[in-house]
Every structure is written in structure tokens, then in C-alpha cells.
Amino acid sequence: MAAESTVAMAASVAQPEFPVARDVRIAGDDKQTRFILDLDRRVDVHAFTLADPYRVILDIPQTTFQLAAGVGHTGRGLIKAFRYGLVMPGGSRVVFDLTGPARIEKAYVLDAANGQPSRLIVELAAVDKAAFRQAQAADGGAAVRPGLGDPAPTGAVVANAAGPAAAETPDLRPVIVLDPGHGGIDNGTMAPSGEAEKDLVLEFARSLGAQIEKTGKYRVVMTRSDDTFIPLGERVKIARERKAALFVSIHADALPKGEGDAQGATIYTLSDRASDAEAERLADAENKADAIGGVNLTEEPTEVADILIDLAQRETKTFSNRFARLLAGELKGVARLHKHPLKSAGFKVLKAPDVPSVLVELGYVTNKDDLQHLVSESWRSRTVGSVGQAIEAFFGKRVVSDGTTAAVAGRESRVEAGQ
Ligand code: ZN
């Protein structure tokens, strides 16, 4: 132990790789509010506002936040709450939820001086709606989405060792996109004991990816393979660009306080109208991910205007439902299912018109037994096994390990499944 701490001490003499934020304070009232973040060095800050809902975004270089747990859950003055975290490799972000429209009067960083550390300071002033829009247009804030407007990440390939070299024959094995929900600045749901959904689902997706890769029949693409925020639209884009044959979004739900207890896994597909009130609540919660991450929602691309999409969507729906049923059947034996395990609602992340997509809520982090499962290695490996079974059943015998294409497999089953 002594040797270890010596090493740690020696390492800490050198400056840490990333700036460290150690403390935060908010002062003022609902007319003028000042936000102060203590840092161990100067950073560049880019601050801008977003509407619907009213937010202030601070983009800074990748920063290690060492703030007290729970800080930001409540704010003061114009800042209702705030959160912080990674939005991309090399970039961190602080997002304020505002109580109403406000203008950024100043956003600057002070050098360490007089025993005070470096400080990032943001001064806000309340304005009316019209002035908010004007200020937003003037500073071009709405148009700036550093990192998130850049070319989309193409998704991380989990492993490629089994596949043929890229220069040789093209890899025609079907692509399965695994989508661990949330990430980075967006923690998702939180267990009372502190486990974050974003970590639980990433671990699950990693082990599912490894299991699928092992069969040698599919290519696995992860929408994220680390603790990075990925906007919902990017996740859909990855599925479409990689021409995925299946998209599986992985989450863990939480029941709001005072709404009793619920348990078990639920499988969701896309629909215009939610199958019940709980499905609607959940879709609303999951669709908030972009607002949480500070994505400009007013800038979201409009739906592709293509009449073919409607047609593809109907076909895709049939396949999504088929996979959902297969998955429920397989999970029934090993994981506890919710009392109504098949539901549907308007999840943004399920909107690829040409990729069969489901969203799995593995369980409730607010339920003691479910949480115990979610953190258990043996539960995970059993559950991953049954998702693997459902995938095998979905693609059936049509996909063989020599790489029969997904397109062929898809079309054949489309004829068979046609209503
Ligand atoms: Zn979620």
C-alpha cells in the first residue's frame, strides 16, 4: 500500500492531463445570476443560449469534474439546475436549465490570483422572449453546435478480427447496431445507490457485442463504446449509414418517486401513439436526452420527404415487431419480464425508416431486485445469451457464417412475413 501511494503522489506532482473543476457556486436572483466554476487552470469557453427549453451551453475542453455528488440538481436565480460531462472526446460541456429566457452578459475565465484558483464566470440577465431571440440571432449562438454539428461518428466497430481483410472480399455479414443509451453529460436514470444507467447499459452492450461477434455471423457496430454523449439523431444516422439489419437500443428505466414500484424488462417498438401511459412517460423521458446534452432541438433536420419511406416504414415495423416478440420469448426464461413486456411509443431513437429497431429496458434501477440483476455478472451473461438467441432466431438459417448478405436474408423473410 505504501509503495502504491508513493507512486500516486509522484504522479500527482505532474499536472493532470485534463483541467480539473473542483468547486462551483451560483449567486444572485431571478434578474441577474452569476455562475462560478473553480478550475486548476485557464480554459477557453464558448457560451451560447438555446431555446425550447431555455438553456445556456458552456463548451470547454475535456475537463475532469470533481464536484460534490448531486451538485446541479438544484440551482439558484435564473439557473433552475445544471449538469456537466463529456460530449465528445476532447470536449466537455456544462448545460444550465433556465427558469426563463436570459441573456449571457459575460462569459470569461480569470487567471488564478490572490490565492484564488482559475475561475470560469458566467453572468446571466433575465430578458423577455423577444430580446432572447434577438440576442440569439446576434451572437449566432443557435447555429453553433461545436462537435455535435461535425461529421457524424460512424460508430465504433467492436471487433474485426474474425472478418476478412478490408482489401479482400467485402464483408457482407449483416450489421447489428447496439446502442447503449445516454452517455457523457447525460447519465440517464440513477439508482438510489448511485449507479448510472449510462454505465450499466454500456457494460451490457459491450458483453452483448462480444457474444454476437463470437458467432462470426454478424458485424457489430456500437453507437458508443465509451462514456461519450451521442445525440439521438446521430444514433439513428449510424444505423442507417451502416445499413444495419437490426438496431437494439439498451436502457434501464426508473419509476418516478411516489409512483410505486415496477420491475422487469420491457421491449419497446416505435408507434405514433403510445400503447399506455407508462410507455408515453418513458418515451418522453428518453427523448429528453438531446435537451439534456445541450443539442439545439430547433435545428433538428426535418423528416426526409420521400414517399418510399412510408412504405419502408411499414415493412420495417413488421420486422421490429417480430424481433420484439422473439426477444420477449427468449427473455422470459432467464430475465424477469415486466407484466406487460411488449409496448410501443414515439421513441426518437427508433425512427430509422429502413432499420428494424427495438428499445429494451432491461429493468428498473429503482427496484431493488432489478438493480441487483443489472449489476450482476451472471445475470448479465444469461441475459446477453438470450438476446443472442433472439438474434439467431430473427436472422434464422438464412445467415450462414460465410457471409450471406443481410439484404437477401431480409428480402426473403419480408416475403414470408408479409401481411
Ligand atoms: Zn434510458
Side-chain angles (χ1 to χ4, degrees):
M1 275 316 279
E4 268 177 42
S5 47
T6 314
V7 172
M9 294 269 286
S12 70
V13 173
Q15 203 177 36
E17 187 184 356
F18 301 116
V20 179
R22 295 193 200 280
D23 198 11
V24 66
R25 295 173 296 286
I26 303 176
D29 52 30
D30 58 358
K31 295 278 177 286
Q32 287 198 311
T33 305
R34 172 188 278 225
F35 173 91
I36 304 151
L37 184 69
D38 290 346
L39 294 154
D40 70 342
R41 73 192 79 164
R42 268 193 90 88
V43 297
D44 288 327
V45 57
H46 175 70
F48 58 99
T49 54
L50 290 175
D52 309 314
Y54 291 115
R55 286 158 293 163
V56 167
I57 316 297
L58 310 177
D59 276 321
I60 56 178
Q62 182 162 348
T63 296
T64 306
F65 291 92
Q66 293 178 352
L67 304 178
V71 72
H73 288 184
T74 55
R76 177 174 176 161
L78 291 160
I79 301 174
K80 188 165 37 173
F82 69 92
R83 58 197 162 266
Y84 49 84
L86 205 61
V87 281
M88 57 178 167
S92 288
R93 174 171 279 191
V94 182
V95 178
F96 304 161
D97 293 325
L98 301 179
T99 53
R103 184 175 58 217
I104 301 167
E105 301 264 273
K106 281 181 191 157
Y108 56 100
V109 178
L110 289 176
D111 280 322
N114 305 326
Q116 293 253 50
S118 290
R119 278 151 292 157
L120 186 166
I121 298 169
V122 182
E123 291 173 9
L124 304 175
V127 291
D128 60 22
K129 272 186 202 170
F132 178 88
R133 303 259 173 218
Q134 240 168 27
Q136 212 185 13
D139 74 8
V144 184
R145 260 205 311 177
L148 301 182
D150 293 347
T154 46
V157 177
V158 159
N160 210 13
E168 295 168 20
T169 48
D171 191 344
L172 298 174
R173 295 173 302 161
V175 171
I176 298 174
V177 172
L178 300 181
D179 175 49
H182 314 278
I185 190 170
D186 174 18
N187 292 323
T189 56
M190 297 291 283
S193 43
E195 291 86 350
E197 176 185 1
K198 66 174 182 179
D199 300 323
L200 296 169
V201 298
L202 178 59
E203 209 163 331
F204 188 92
R206 277 200 189 124
S207 93
L208 178 58
Q211 153 100 15
I212 298 168
E213 285 276 344
K214 234 176 22 201
T215 66
K217 298 182 195 169
Y218 315 97
R219 285 174 289 162
V220 174
V221 173
M222 305 264 287
T223 54
R224 70 177 177 97
S225 49
D226 58 17
D227 186 22
T228 304
F229 174 79
I230 311 282
L232 297 172
E234 297 294 343
R235 297 168 190 261
V236 174
K237 212 157 135 194
I238 289 167
R240 299 200 67 200
E241 280 176 356
R242 303 299 294 255
K243 300 198 170 22
L246 184 64
F247 175 91
V248 183
S249 191
I250 301 160
H251 292 258
D253 202 359
L255 219 53
K257 262 192 197 131
E259 290 201 12
D261 200 7
Q263 60 185 38
T266 313
I267 301 145
Y268 290 87
T269 49
L270 178 69
S271 71
D272 298 335
R273 208 161 358 131
S275 54
D276 61 25
E278 204 202 346
E280 189 162 9
R281 170 195 65 77
L282 182 76
D284 286 347
E286 299 292 9
N287 289 345
K288 278 202 187 99
D290 282 350
I292 288 168
V295 175
N296 186 3
L297 304 179
T298 54
E299 234 184 36
E300 286 286 276
T302 47
E303 293 298 316
V304 191
D306 188 344
I307 50 162
L308 287 176
I309 282 195
D310 189 44
L311 207 66
Q313 230 150 16
R314 249 177 285 166
E315 255 191 350
T316 303
K317 202 173 171 177
T318 307
F319 280 95
S320 304
N321 290 336
R322 183 169 157 229
F323 181 70
R325 282 195 305 273
L326 286 168
L327 186 54
E330 291 294 337
L331 283 175
K332 202 163 53 188
V334 294
R336 192 162 50 170
L337 288 181
H338 188 272
K339 58 181 187 291
H340 306 293
L342 291 171
K343 294 188 182 189
S344 60
F347 293 90
K348 277 192 198 168
V349 80
L350 299 180
K351 285 195 172 167
D354 41 8
V355 181
S357 303
V358 305
L359 183 146
V360 185
E361 295 282 348
L362 293 170
Y364 291 81
V365 299
T366 42
N367 178 270
K368 225 174 70 196
D369 294 341
D370 275 8
L371 182 63
Q372 232 163 46
H373 285 158
L374 288 165
V375 299
S376 138
E377 183 84 49
S378 74
W379 179 88
R380 190 180 313 126
S381 81
R382 270 182 291 137
T383 309
V384 157
S386 65
V387 181
Q389 291 291 322
I391 288 171
E392 289 289 300
F394 180 68
F395 288 101
K397 293 191 187 80
R398 290 173 195 86
V399 180
V400 289
S401 46
D402 71 351
T404 305
T405 72
V408 171
R411 229 158 269 146
E412 277 179 19
S413 27
R414 265 159 219 223
V415 172
E416 177 200 80
Q419 293 149 317

